[in-house]
C-alpha cells in the first residue's frame, strides 16, 4: 500500500514539474518584437511580387519567414477591423487587383500614409496566396 502512494506522489511531482515548465517556457513565452527585427532583404514591392509570380519556390526559400523591406507607391489603403493594410497593385486577376499587401502592427505603425505616397515598409513575409504576397507586422521605415 505504501508503495502505491510513493508511485502516486512521484507521478504527481513529475506532473507538477512538467506543468510548470510548459507554462513557463511555452505558454508564457514572450512574443517577438517585429518592429525591432532587422530586414533580411530590401527590394521594391514590384520586384517582390514578380519574384513570387515568376518562380514561387525560389521566392519562398528566399523570403518566406523573413523580415523584408519593400518600397513603392501605395495604391490603396484597406482596413480589416481597425487594422490598416497598405496595398501595392501590380496586376489584375480573376478576383481583382493583385500585388503586395502589408498588414500593419497597429494603426499607429501606419502613421499618416495616404494613397499615392512613396513609402518604405518592413514586414514579416508569410507567403503568397496565388494573387498577393502577404507581409504582416509591418512598420514604416525611415
Amino acid at each position: 500500500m505504501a508503495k502505491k502512494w510513493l508511485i502516486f506522489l512521484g507521478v504527481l511531482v513529475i506532473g507538477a514539474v512538467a506543468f510548470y515548465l510548459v507554462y513557463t517556457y511555452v505558454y508564457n513565452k514572450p512574443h517577438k518584437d517585429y518592429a525591432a527585427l532587422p530586414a533580411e532583404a530590401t527590394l521594391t514591392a514590384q520586384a517582390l511580387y514578380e519574384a513570387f509570380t515568376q518562380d514561387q519556390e525560389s521566392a519562398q526559400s528566399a523570403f518566406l519567414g523573413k523580415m523584408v523591406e519593400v518600397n513603392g507607391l501605395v495604391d490603396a489603403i484597406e482596413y480589416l477591423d481597425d487594422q490598416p493594410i497598405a496595398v501595392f497593385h501590380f496586376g489584375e486577376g480573376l478576383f481583382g487587383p493583385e500585388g503586395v499587401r502589408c498588414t500593419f502592427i497597429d494603426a499607429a505603425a501606419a502613421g499618416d500614409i495616404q494613397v499615392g505616397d512613396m513609402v518604405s515598409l518592413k514586414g514579416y513575409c508569410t507567403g503568397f496566396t496565388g494573387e498577393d504576397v502577404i507581409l504582416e507586422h509591418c512598420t514604416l521605415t525611415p
Side-chain angles (χ1 to χ4, degrees):
M1 184 77 158
K3 192 174 188 180
K4 288 182 182 180
W5 281 106
L6 283 175
I7 292 172
F8 175 74
L9 273 169
V11 169
L12 188 65
V13 168
I14 290 171
V17 169
F19 174 78
Y20 172 77
L21 291 174
V22 167
Y23 177 77
T24 302
Y25 294 106
V26 177
Y27 181 74
N28 202 23
K29 183 178 177 181
H31 298 284
K32 286 184 181 178
D33 183 8
Y34 290 98
L37 291 175
E40 297 178 47
T42 302
L43 64 165
T44 65
Q46 185 168 3
L48 180 64
Y49 175 72
E50 289 173 357
F52 274 94
T53 55
Q54 292 172 2
D55 187 3
Q56 186 174 350
E57 287 184 23
S58 67
Q60 284 182 339
S61 65
F63 303 113
L64 193 64
K66 297 179 180 170
M67 289 301 287
V68 179
E69 184 175 337
V70 297
N71 47 44
L73 190 68
V74 176
D75 293 308
I77 302 288
E78 298 174 352
Y79 289 90
L80 180 62
D81 295 327
D82 290 333
Q83 193 171 20
I85 302 169
V87 183
F88 303 92
H89 292 157
F90 301 112
E92 201 59 40
L94 182 62
F95 300 107
E98 298 176 342
V100 178
R101 296 185 183 278
C102 302
T103 306
F104 287 93
I105 293 174
D106 55 24
D112 294 328
I113 64 170
Q114 302 294 321
V115 173
D117 287 351
M118 182 64 90
V119 296
S120 181
L121 304 171
K122 179 178 68 169
Y124 187 76
C125 184
T126 57
F128 182 61
T129 65
E131 297 173 353
D132 296 313
V133 179
I134 307 298
L135 298 178
E136 295 182 351
H137 310 289
C138 292
T139 56
L140 287 170
T141 57

